[in-house]
Structures are given as structure tokens and as C-alpha cells.
Amino acid sequence: TANRKFTVKSCEGSTAVFTGMVSADATSFYAIYPYTETLEVSAPDNADRDIRLRFPVGSVQYAKPNSFSDNTAFAVAVASEGKFAFQNRTALLKFSLGSDMANVKSVVLRANGAQYLYGTVNVEFTGAKVDQGMAYGYDRGSEVTLCNQDGTNLQTGVNYYIAVPGANFTEGFTVEVKFDDNTSVSKSSDKAIQFYTKNIYPLAF
């Protein structure tokens, strides 16, 4: 019932030790990475599930060369025997811009159907099993934009990543490249594609 911030004390390979404070009478522990102040913790509507966690994922992702935007690619875990085994809950779309694309201002990923790419993520645990979706009653939408936070053009020759919640794009998706002269080009596919969490999918321009 409480949202507590933990920080990494030490890290070696894929294992980390976290430190923080919990209630003395707490018996169950769930974790979301990265930490978010606006995390909502509540009982799920389905009585067969243990707990519901909700947190926002925005429609704008800020470009980081060879990495992904902060607070977009999230992982969740439930404690077992004092340890958390985190599950990545997003897929990553990977692309780079060629030397002839030095004037790209942003890249937009848009679902052709009703799949939601941003909004309030609803995560429910049943033991270690995770059910995930975008919560009703909150602002949500079917496109995300990758751009530089300072408004400058994206770099060429580096890898960028767009984080996508795992979903089945039944009607495909569209990628729109926007240039600094207010023109744009789009590529679209109407073929269904399942974006599985933990996976990286390459995009070619």
C-alpha cells in the first residue's frame, strides 16, 4: 500500500543490491523500475489477482544515442525469498539515421489500429504472472514521438530506440520522419505484427 523509493547500493553484471525503507509489518513486496512518484497502488478488480500498480508512460520520448528515453522502458518484479527477478515489459524499436538525414527533427511511431502506445500502464500480479494493459479513464493514445529534448535535430550514425509496450498491432503501424523544414515522409505496413516484450526490433529507413 506504500510507494517507497529504493536505490542501487551495488551492481555486478545483471545482479544488483538495492537499499531503502519498508514498513515493519509489510509481508509482500513488488517493484517497478524505474521509480515513479505518481505510482498508484490498489487492489485489482479481479479477486484472483494479488495487486494492481498503475503508472504513466508519456507520448513523447527524448532521444538518447545508443539508449532509450528515461522512464519509458520499464520492468516489474515480485519478491521471492528476498530477491526480485525483474521482467522487462516493453519492446524496443531500433533505428539509425544515415548521413543524408542530418535534418531530421523527430520520428513518430503510430499504430494503424486501436493499440495504445502511451497512457497509464495497468500492471496486475497473480503470483509472479503479470497482466498488463493501458488503463481506462486516463489520457491515452496510439502514437509516440522521439525527439531531442532541446529541439535540435537527431544525430546521424547512432542507434536510437523507441520503447513500445508489448502489444499486437493487428493493422500494422506507420513511421513518420519529420524534418526541420516542416516536411515529412512516412512508411506504413498493414501487416499484423506482435511486439513481444524483452525483444529489439530493427527499423530501416
Side-chain angles (χ1 to χ4, degrees):
T1 58
N3 180 19
R4 305 296 180 95
K5 183 177 182 179
F6 275 59
T7 55
V8 176
K9 183 179 180 181
S10 62
C11 185
E12 183 176 350
S14 61
T15 301
V17 176
F18 296 88
T19 181
M21 302 292 292
V22 298
S23 301
D25 57 350
T27 58
S28 298
F29 304 94
Y30 301 85
I32 286 184
Y33 174 87
Y35 171 78
T36 174
E37 292 182 355
T38 56
L39 177 70
E40 299 177 20
V41 184
S42 62
D45 296 330
N46 188 330
D48 293 333
R49 296 176 181 174
D50 302 325
I51 195 170
R52 177 170 65 202
L53 307 177
R54 286 178 173 170
F55 53 95
V57 171
S59 60
V60 177
Q61 300 184 20
Y62 293 120
K64 294 179 67 175
N66 302 311
S67 187
F68 47 80
S69 179
D70 294 339
N71 302 319
T72 55
F74 58 92
V76 300
V78 58
S80 176
E81 299 179 354
K83 296 181 179 180
F84 289 106
F86 280 91
Q87 305 176 36
N88 291 312
R89 300 303 302 174
T90 53
L92 294 175
L93 273 65
K94 174 185 176 181
F95 69 91
S96 62
L97 301 174
S99 58
D100 59 338
M101 301 182 74
N103 60 333
V104 173
K105 185 68 75 174
S106 63
V107 175
V108 178
L109 175 69
R110 184 178 301 112
N112 294 339
Q115 291 72 38
Y116 295 107
L117 297 180
Y118 77 87
T120 296
V121 180
N122 189 86
V123 173
E124 297 184 1
F125 288 86
T126 308
K129 180 178 180 293
V130 176
D131 291 281
Q132 173 187 323
M134 291 296 179
Y136 293 98
Y138 296 80
D139 182 34
R140 57 185 182 172
S142 59
E143 71 174 48
V144 292
T145 299
L146 183 79
C147 61
N148 281 331
Q149 190 168 6
D150 62 3
T152 58
N153 291 346
L154 299 178
Q155 296 181 40
T156 61
V158 300
N159 290 323
Y160 287 115
Y161 296 85
I162 299 176
V164 181
N168 183 12
F169 286 63
T170 56
E171 299 176 43
F173 65 93
T174 298
V175 176
E176 182 180 7
V177 179
K178 296 185 177 182
F179 301 97
D180 56 10
D181 61 358
N182 294 320
T183 61
S184 66
V185 295
S186 297
K187 282 190 174 182
S188 185
S189 172
D190 58 4
K191 294 182 179 180
I193 179 171
Q194 172 74 56
F195 287 120
Y196 291 101
T197 60
K198 310 177 187 178
N199 288 355
I200 297 176
Y201 298 85
L203 287 174
F205 295 120

